Structure formats: structure tokens, C-alpha cells
Amino acid sequence: MISPTNLKIAFSHLTTRIKQVLVATLSVTFGISMYIFMNGFMTGVNDVQTELAFSTLAHIHIYNDLPQDRSSLITNYLPEGSATLVNIRNPKIIQYTEGIKNAEQVMNSIGHLDDITQVTAQVNINVFFRNGATKINGLLSGINATEEDALFGTSGSIIEGSWYALDNRSDGMIIGVGLAKKLSLGMHDNVVVSTADGVSRNFKIIGIIETTLASVDNSKAYIRISSARQLVSENRSYATDIQIKIKVFNQATKVASKLAPLVDFKVESWDEANGQLEAGNELRDIIAIAVSLTILLVAGFGIYNIMNMTVNEKIKEIAILKAMGFNGRDIIEIFLVQSIITGLLGGLIGMVFGTLVSLTVNNIPFEVATLKTLPMAYRPSDYFSAFGFGLLTTFIAGYLPAKKASEVDPVEIIRG
């Protein structure tokens, strides 16, 4: 316990040096407020980017991973440098089974896992969209509208028509806004879709979608999954992709490893396929923490200088206190209390000021993609971390001068 006498002396020092205490407090306030703001802003940016990415990206993706080299595999079985003579006349490309023929069976085999919240099948086809003389290459996605919306929340991006109308019309199509403009199409217009195998079919535009993602808006359209299967002449259980949503997206790799033994196809987590997204998030977090801690360290040096100056100014008083019977521990307590009080005041004010700065930035208009204002996150962990780091910095900055003061020899100081 700190003695009442030491507390009184510490408060006396603080009240006689209002300007220095104010400067030290403001240093901590600025450091903590910037820590809260920087981490909140970077987290907000990461959250927005993740939300945009997962509007079209599943947590786990199952598909038929065909080999890149589809030529004859005979030579691949020969050891390197083999002297065996192989003569292949008129080699043929091996026909591999594309897509997933038993999608319903695969979905049923994994649907019981507690980690999974939603599973949906897709039939994705590279096609040509044609309206009159205009022909554009794009992606046609056959989907179940209800399951697709549960997984990606796609219905919120519809700007004309209804997303769920897709389940009621075999000839209905929802088209990206950019693709619709390129083809000069509007609601209830007809568009011809042609596959690589030469199959063509007419569809009617029953909805227009705008996701702000160029890959969707400028080249993608949606139809009912049964219509897509008919277009490629496949069975009722056929799918090119199975998309999975899990409870915690950061656990995708772990869940994917559980699924892999249950299916005969490629199971790929989002971070495996999109490492740049995770790397970008981590880099932004590192930058935010590095900048914030640097500011706090600068504030700590400011407090150290102020406390060091105080020790030099009060050197004779310290000598008198030690001559009166105060020991080194008492001297450390006196100066350490001053530093901790400065840290507490600066920390509390800094958290309030940091919140005000964050709220102000959060209300700045920023009309980009789906954003209306600059993104900001308010995590309690940021506040606890900022306050803890600030208090630790001020403690160290106060302890070093206090330790120096405790080692003062009163006889030498009084003698001059």
C-alpha cells in the first residue's frame, strides 16, 4: 500500500506543475485516441472488404478439379530418363468427367456437420449473350434462388424486379446491370444465350442486379438451376460447383479438412483460393498497430522527459526527504504515482476523444461501392488494449526517473 504521506507529496508536485502535467496528459491522450482510431478504421476497412468479397465468394467451394494436362498419360508413367521406346500414333485427348454428377448425394453427406449453415449447388456455364447484332461473352449461373440468397444475400442487390421470381419461371433471367447496358436490355426484354456446344435458348429479363462488383455486374446472369441443367443436357443432380457457408469464416480451412474425406472432389477454403485477401487484412492490421504503438512510445518519451525534468527540479527536496527518513522506495512511489495519475487521466480522456474522432470519421460521406460513409469498427478490445498500452508506457516512463531519484545521495546534494 502507498502511504498517505507519499500520496500527498505526489499530489502536491502535480498541482504545482499544472502546465507540465497538462502536456504529459495530452501526449497520452493523443496516443491512445490515435490507437483507437487507427485500429477501428483499419478493422472497419477489413470488415467491409470481407463483406464485399463474401457477397460472391463462398467460405468453402467443392468442385471437380480436372488435371491441367489432359493429353495422353502414357508418357507420364515412364520414369525420367527411361530408355523405353514409345511410339504413339494419332494420340487422343482423354475424356474426363466434368462437373459433379451426384451433387445432391454430396450435399446430403456433408449437410449434417454442425459447422455448416448453408449449402447450395450451382451450374456455371461460359456462354455468349446475344441481343440483335451485339454478342458478349459471359457467365451464366444456374442457381436455387432461396439457397443462393441465404448464402450470399444476393436479393439485397436487386435494383429492378424480384430475386425470388427466378424460382417461378423456367425462362426467367436476372442480369447484371453492366451486362444489361452493354446489350441494351431492360426489364421484360428477350436475350439469346448460346453455349460452347452450339445450344441456344431465349430467356426473358425478369430482374436486374447491381452488386458493385465488376465481375458480376458486367458479365454475369442468373437463371433457375433446372434450366441451366437442360441447357447443358445434364441430369437433375448435376452441378459444376457446391458452395458452402459456415458459422465462422476464419475456420474455413479447418472445416474443409473435415469435409475432404467425405467427398471425392476438390474441397477448397476461401483463404486457400484467395490468399491475397487475408494477406491484405493482416498487413493493414500490422500497419495500424505499428503506427499506434509508435505514437504511444513517442508519448512515453514525452512523459519520461517531463518526469526527468521534475526529478532535476526537485533534487534538493528529494535530498531533504531522504534526510528526514524517507527511503528509496518512498521516493519511487512519489514519482511513480505522478506518472500513473498522468497515464490514467490521459487514458480516460484519450478513449473519449478517440471515440469522438471515430464517430466523426464514420459520418464522413464516402459514396463508393456499397459504402455511404467511411467504415469504422468499435471493438472493446481496442479500448482495453489502448488503455493498457498507455498505462504501461507511462509506468515505464515514470519508473526510470523515479529509480534515479531514489538513488540520490542526500549528503552530496545538501553539501552542494
Side-chain angles (χ1 to χ4, degrees):
M1 292 292 293
I2 300 174
S3 73
T5 304
N6 292 346
L7 284 174
K8 287 181 181 179
I9 295 173
F11 278 110
S12 176
H13 286 177
L14 287 172
T15 54
T16 55
R17 296 181 299 106
I18 297 296
K19 290 184 179 179
Q20 290 179 333
V21 172
L22 183 61
V23 170
T25 302
L26 288 176
S27 297
V28 180
T29 297
F30 180 74
I32 288 179
S33 61
M34 287 301 100
Y35 183 98
I36 291 171
F37 165 70
M38 287 292 294
N39 282 278
F41 182 66
M42 289 300 182
T43 301
V45 171
N46 288 346
D47 290 346
V48 168
Q49 184 174 14
T50 302
E51 181 181 346
L52 288 174
F54 285 136
S55 63
T56 57
L57 177 67
H59 297 161
I60 298 175
H61 178 205
I62 297 178
Y63 62 99
N64 192 352
D65 189 22
L66 299 176
Q68 294 181 353
D69 182 7
R70 304 189 191 184
S71 60
S72 175
L73 300 181
I74 295 177
T75 55
N76 293 342
Y77 286 99
L78 294 176
E80 187 176 352
S82 173
T84 304
L85 179 64
V86 178
N87 182 23
I88 303 175
R89 300 183 60 186
N90 192 21
K92 303 294 184 181
I93 299 297
I94 295 176
Q95 180 67 40
Y96 291 92
T97 301
E98 297 186 358
I100 302 172
K101 300 292 185 180
N102 57 338
E104 290 185 8
Q105 181 181 342
V106 173
M107 292 167 66
N108 291 334
S109 67
I110 63 177
H112 67 278
L113 293 179
D114 294 334
D115 300 296
I116 296 175
T117 59
Q118 185 65 43
V119 181
T120 189
Q122 295 178 342
V123 176
N124 294 306
I125 317 165
N126 289 316
V127 298
F128 283 102
F129 298 97
R130 190 170 71 249
N131 181 32
T134 307
K135 184 167 68 172
I136 296 175
N137 183 33
L139 180 68
L140 185 64
S141 186
I143 51 98
N144 178 296
T146 303
E147 293 177 357
E148 188 83 3
D149 187 43
L151 203 148
F152 297 115
T154 321
S155 64
S157 300
I158 290 290
I159 56 174
E160 289 188 60
S162 170
W163 173 257
Y164 292 102
L166 205 58
D167 282 337
N168 302 322
R169 294 197 58 161
S170 61
D171 66 338
M173 175 187 288
I174 293 177
I175 192 169
V177 62
L179 183 59
K181 289 179 180 178
K182 291 178 182 179
L183 293 168
S184 301
L185 294 171
M187 288 291 292
H188 310 301
D189 287 341
N190 293 318
V191 60
V192 178
V193 170
S194 301
T195 69
D197 295 328
V199 179
S200 296
R201 183 177 174 184
N202 282 313
F203 288 91
K204 184 177 290 291
I205 306 299
I206 60 172
I208 298 177
I209 189 169
E210 184 176 17
T211 64
T212 71
L213 298 173
S215 60
V216 176
D217 295 342
N218 296 331
S219 61
K220 190 172 184 179
Y222 299 88
I223 61 174
R224 200 163 72 175
I225 192 169
S226 58
S227 301
R229 286 166 176 159
Q230 291 174 5
L231 200 60
V232 292
S233 301
E234 292 290 351
N235 61 54
R236 292 179 56 186
S237 188
Y238 175 80
T240 59
D241 306 86
I242 294 176
Q243 310 283 14
I244 301 172
K245 182 179 181 181
I246 61 176
K247 293 178 181 178
V248 182
F249 74 92
N250 284 330
Q251 299 293 320
T253 302
K254 181 180 178 181
V255 177
S257 64
K258 292 181 182 178
L259 295 179
L262 302 178
V263 298
D264 297 326
F265 303 99
K266 173 71 173 179
V267 180
E268 188 175 67
S269 62
W270 70 268
D271 45 354
E272 180 184 349
N274 299 271
Q276 72 280 3
L277 177 62
E278 187 176 16
N281 290 348
E282 291 180 357
L283 283 174
R284 280 188 290 272
D285 288 338
I286 291 171
I287 291 171
I289 293 173
V291 172
S292 304
L293 289 181
T294 301
I295 294 172
L296 284 174
L297 287 175
V298 171
F301 279 117
I303 295 173
Y304 171 79
N305 289 331
I306 291 172
M307 295 303 296
N308 209 30
M309 289 172 56
T310 302
V311 169
N312 291 332
E313 289 175 2
K314 304 290 184 180
I315 197 72
K316 289 187 177 179
E317 293 182 22
I318 294 169
I320 292 172
L321 288 173
K322 296 194 76 173
M324 292 173 60
F326 285 80
N327 57 31
R329 180 179 176 180
D330 293 323
I331 303 301
I332 291 176
E333 285 182 357
I334 290 170
F335 287 95
L336 204 53
V337 164
Q338 297 177 53
S339 178
I340 291 174
I341 289 175
T342 302
L344 287 171
L345 288 174
L348 293 172
I349 298 172
M351 288 193 292
V352 174
F353 186 68
T355 303
L356 293 176
V357 172
S358 299
L359 289 171
T360 302
V361 171
N362 199 191
N363 286 290
I364 296 176
F366 189 71
E367 300 284 342
V368 175
T370 58
L371 297 177
K372 301 298 180 184
T373 60
L374 286 172
M376 189 67 62
Y378 303 91
R379 298 185 303 179
S381 59
D382 289 337
Y383 288 81
F384 287 118
S385 297
F387 190 78
F389 282 131
L391 206 57
L392 179 63
T393 303
T394 54
F395 178 87
I396 295 173
Y399 178 79
L400 296 177
K403 182 66 175 175
K404 175 184 174 182
S406 69
E407 296 172 351
V408 167
D409 186 352
V411 176
E412 292 183 4
I413 299 301
I414 293 173
R415 283 179 177 177

